[in-house]
Amino acid sequence: MLDVQLLRNQLDDVIHRLQQRHFKFDVDRFTTLEQERKQVQMKTQELQSQRNSLSKEIGQAKAQRQEADHLMQQATLINEELDEASQKLTVIQKELEELLLGIPNLPHVSVPVGESADQNVEVRRVGTPKVFNFTPKDHVDLGEGLALMDFNRASLLSGARFSVLKGSLARLHRALTQFMLDTHTTEHGYQEAYVPYLVSANTLRGTGQLPKFEADLFKVPREEAEPLYLIPTAEVPLTNFVQDTIVDEQALPLRLTAHTPCFRSEAGSYGRDVRGLIRQHQFDKVELVQIVHPDKSYDALEELTSHAEAILQRLELPYRVMLLCTGDMGAGATKTYDLEVWLPGQNAYREISSCSNCEGYQARRMQARFRSQKNKPELVHTLNGSGVAVGRALVAILENHQNEDGSINIPKALQPYMGGISVLTMGK
RNA sequence: GGAGAGAUGGCCGAGUGGUCGAAGGCACUCCCCUGCUAAGGGAGCAUGCGGUCAAAAACUGCAUCGAGGGUUCGAAUCCCUCUCUCUCCGCCA
């Protein structure tokens, strides 16, 4: 959510920056609502003030055993007018809030202006794609060839976009999460967390998935309680650790990591990546979240991105870092780096991590603040990034470390987590 | 699932219809005293949203005592609904 003051005082600038990300802000509606709000709110408060002072007088009169009937009559009259005004105000404020909740964050000045992913800017490339002296297979052929990946079974169980992994491939999946968590906790200073996979609508509102992106979520209705939602990313529970709290300035930065499954209904993406593990309704991810002082959030973004990169480097996977353009960023972000890993099976770089600074956008929705020595509570800045997507990392390992016979070399960093196995072979 | 207790400011905790935004304490900030890793004295110290304003400061209004409704001229305080926490019982991984 943007600061309303910004909209009131620098409306033109805000409109301009929102246009860069193709958000058409309904200016007329806003200004009309804002004018009404001001007028009705002032009237409401004035009436409340009158009523309060009358009530006080009544109290004083009664204390002195004086008659106060005429004062009470006056108060009743004021209350009638007040009722009307405050009802009107409630409606206006609700409308304004809805409007505000739907506005995406403003892009940072360092973000390139662009229409779509085509205008994203490559920042750096790390590692060189291996040259194969045979035609590399994609991960589906490799996984099914090893008899360790079973999409038919998954679709019998649950339908499209689910997967079953078996044997040492399932173990590799587990090894990846352990390796990532251990690296982030022991080397990058993150605190590991175990979190709920089902969260409330309010929590999702805090991080920005609601109200706008309900269609992307799996919703779990309950008979006598509010529905819960399956988390689309651990960013949601982790970032909401500071929901409605004022943290001590000394406690910043908070660095949190968690491994969770992520659930996405991806309603709009049917037809894309139908084959394989790339786009699933359920996938695992190790997430990185930082809660930081506003002055430090851009440094933190670089740092957090490097933490995700470290994982790819240790797994000996070539990748590139993309700075997303205004048209391709998520709604809550002011600046985002995507890490794209090289996939020989697709002959392309594909997203495996997305690292964003959300500045105060989520913090304002969550009312997440910190208190410094002297000053009033101030909004924290929040950042999140995948560190990294486990399923896609698995895909990348299969495709990049494959041998001509279809076996897979396990990167050194993972071998301790695989009981010393260095090669994945048929059916094992 | 059954029975009971509770939810107040950063924390602890008082407050059962009217000068209560809320005593007291802790923590914190400033000042004084002391002269030593203590203690004492004084002052300040909730959050959100408005208004005056370019803005800040300042001043001022409104709201907020788990949430939402209700009663009343007036609600932290009375009534209803809900949520959460704790204790006991049951069930259970």
Side-chain angles (χ1 to χ4, degrees):
Chain A
M1 191 156 69
L2 298 181
D3 187 354
V4 205
Q5 299 298 342
L6 209 61
L7 286 163
R8 290 184 191 142
N9 300 328
Q10 298 168 46
L11 188 56
D12 291 341
D13 184 46
V14 171
I15 292 166
H16 172 70
R17 291 170 72 186
L18 286 174
Q19 266 167 2
Q20 292 182 341
R21 55 188 310 167
H22 306 120
F23 182 81
K24 214 176 136 271
F25 182 48
D26 193 340
V27 188
D28 290 344
R29 176 133 179 271
F30 174 75
T31 40
T32 314
L33 278 171
E34 181 57 19
Q35 268 170 19
E36 280 184 69
R37 189 226 95 225
K38 190 164 170 175
Q39 187 217 322
V40 178
Q41 180 166 0
M42 281 170 69
K43 183 172 176 191
T44 304
Q45 293 188 352
E46 169 61 25
L47 289 168
Q48 282 170 328
S49 172
Q50 283 176 25
R51 188 205 51 200
N52 288 348
S53 50
L54 269 174
S55 292
K56 213 168 252 184
E57 282 180 53
I58 293 168
Q60 282 164 354
K62 292 226 163 165
Q64 293 163 25
R65 297 181 169 278
Q66 289 170 0
E67 169 282 337
D69 284 359
H70 64 290
L71 289 174
M72 284 164 67
Q73 267 175 17
Q74 257 185 68
T76 308
L77 284 177
I78 286 174
N79 270 340
E80 280 171 24
E81 210 179 334
L82 178 60
D83 267 1
E84 198 186 325
S86 63
Q87 274 175 33
K88 213 165 147 189
L89 183 62
T90 308
V91 173
I92 294 169
Q93 280 176 329
K94 203 170 261 174
E95 272 185 64
L96 262 175
E97 204 197 327
E98 257 170 55
L99 191 66
L100 282 172
L101 282 174
I103 302 175
N105 208 348
L106 303 177
H108 188 254
V109 288
S110 64
V111 170
V113 177
E115 298 293 310
S116 68
D118 296 338
Q119 280 85 51
N120 293 344
V121 172
E122 183 175 310
V123 179
R124 58 183 168 271
R125 245 173 229 233
V126 180
T128 321
K130 193 191 282 179
V131 179
F132 294 91
N133 52 13
F134 56 92
T135 308
K137 300 189 178 95
D138 83 356
H139 69 280
V140 180
D141 290 342
L142 289 164
E144 290 181 340
L146 292 164
L148 298 176
M149 195 182 278
D150 192 341
F151 289 102
N152 289 332
R153 182 57 50 189
S155 70
L156 285 171
L157 296 174
S158 310
R161 292 191 189 276
F162 289 93
S163 54
V164 167
L165 304 178
K166 294 186 287 193
S168 46
L169 196 57
R171 185 178 190 174
L172 179 61
H173 188 268
R174 172 162 56 91
L176 277 166
T177 69
Q178 305 293 4
F179 160 69
M180 291 179 203
L181 279 174
D182 284 349
T183 305
H184 295 313
T185 53
T186 64
E187 293 177 32
H188 301 153
Y190 289 76
Q191 183 180 43
E192 183 172 349
Y194 170 78
V195 296
Y197 302 158
L198 288 161
V199 296
S200 66
N202 184 49
T203 297
L204 286 155
R205 206 171 297 121
T207 30
Q209 283 78 14
L210 288 179
K212 251 192 139 177
F213 305 103
E214 177 147 23
D216 296 339
L217 300 167
F218 282 104
K219 187 177 187 174
V220 181
R222 294 191 290 175
E223 268 186 37
E224 303 212 13
E226 293 299 307
L228 291 173
Y229 296 81
L230 284 161
I231 54 170
T233 158
E235 169 201 341
V236 174
L238 286 179
T239 307
N240 274 283
F241 270 27
V242 289
Q243 175 191 115
D244 259 315
T245 54
I246 301 175
V247 300
D248 204 60
E249 188 175 16
Q250 323 293 332
L252 300 177
L254 260 51
R255 294 195 185 90
L256 300 165
T257 185
H259 158 238
T260 70
C262 305
F263 301 93
R264 299 194 182 171
S265 89
E266 304 268 13
S269 66
Y270 282 95
R272 288 181 65 195
D273 299 314
V274 282
R275 182 178 159 88
L277 286 175
I278 296 291
R279 196 173 299 271
Q280 301 266 288
H281 286 317
Q282 171 188 321
F283 63 95
D284 280 30
K285 185 153 62 69
V286 170
E287 183 73 3
L288 303 173
V289 161
Q290 292 204 23
I291 313 291
V292 306
H293 189 284
D295 295 345
K296 309 250 172 73
S297 65
Y298 284 93
D299 290 342
L301 178 62
E302 300 300 323
E303 183 192 280
L304 185 144
T305 306
S306 78
H307 295 155
E309 288 184 64
I311 298 296
L312 300 181
Q313 289 165 17
R314 298 282 192 83
L315 296 176
E316 302 164 46
L317 298 170
Y319 66 92
R320 61 179 189 178
V321 181
M322 305 295 288
L323 174 58
L324 298 198
C325 74
T326 52
D328 201 29
M329 275 198 301
T334 58
K335 184 173 184 175
T336 299
Y337 290 113
D338 271 8
L339 304 188
E340 296 184 344
V341 71
W342 175 252
L343 295 185
Q346 296 196 6
N347 202 39
Y349 283 97
R350 292 300 305 264
E351 176 186 342
I352 193 168
S353 171
S354 191
C355 304
S356 300
N357 185 3
C358 296
E359 291 194 14
Y361 187 84
Q362 297 178 319
R364 184 170 290 106
R365 289 166 166 254
M366 293 189 296
Q367 279 307 305
R369 293 162 294 171
F370 71 95
R371 190 191 300 278
S372 56
Q373 292 272 332
K374 267 241 141 208
N375 300 318
K376 291 188 131 199
E378 204 181 325
L379 294 173
V380 295
H381 280 190
T382 61
L383 301 99
N384 64 77
S386 347
V388 299
V390 179
R392 290 189 181 181
L394 188 85
V395 168
I397 285 174
L398 292 181
E399 296 193 5
N400 283 281
H401 299 320
Q402 62 179 293
N403 299 308
E404 188 161 14
D405 65 359
S407 63
I408 311 295
N409 300 326
I410 305 294
K412 282 226 164 41
L414 288 179
Q415 287 178 14
Y417 296 92
M418 292 295 286
I421 297 174
S422 59
V423 183
L424 277 196
T425 51
M426 174 76 189
K428 297 275 179 66

